[in-house]
Amino acid sequence: MSHILIIEQNVVIGSEFSKRLCDLGFDSFDHVLTGKDAVVIAKMRPPDLVLIGDSPESGDVLGAARQICETYDTPVLIVAASQAKRP
């Protein structure tokens, strides 16, 4: 069983992450909105992967991910999207 902690402000996008990761074989998810919540949840259930969404509004998200990574030796994946500039 692989457990992923998703840090994403947008619940719809977080849900889409869960669906796509489920298709890849992941079967357990926690979804939080802030870095502070991520640290609390990770203490209750250490994740196998931390996924950070595109534009976290809370400035503590990267610090929280670093803390989780250092505490539990967990990899962190940052998913970022950018719009291509059209000529």
Side-chain angles (χ1 to χ4, degrees), residues 7-12 14 31-35 53 55-58 61:
I7 308 171
E8 170 58 55
Q9 290 282 322
N10 186 316
V11 176
V12 174
H31 181 195
V32 297
L33 305 178
T34 68
S55 56
E57 291 181 17
S58 174
V61 172

Side-chain angles (χ1 to χ4, degrees), residues 18-74:
S18 297
K19 288 178 193 175
R20 292 187 184 226
L21 291 165
C22 191
D23 291 343
L24 295 173
F26 293 94
D27 53 8
S28 176
F29 305 92
D30 279 318
H31 181 195
V32 297
L33 305 178
T34 68
K36 183 178 178 180
D37 291 342
V39 171
V40 170
I41 293 296
K43 287 179 182 177
M44 292 190 295
R45 183 164 188 190
D48 297 303
L49 175 70
V50 175
L51 186 142
I52 300 174
D54 188 24
S55 56
E57 291 181 17
S58 174
D60 66 339
V61 172
L62 294 179
R66 177 174 285 130
Q67 181 180 348
I68 294 166
C69 177
E70 291 172 353
T71 303
Y72 302 105
D73 195 31
T74 303

Side-chain angles (χ1 to χ4, degrees), residues 49 76 85:
L49 175 70
V76 175
K85 294 182 181 179

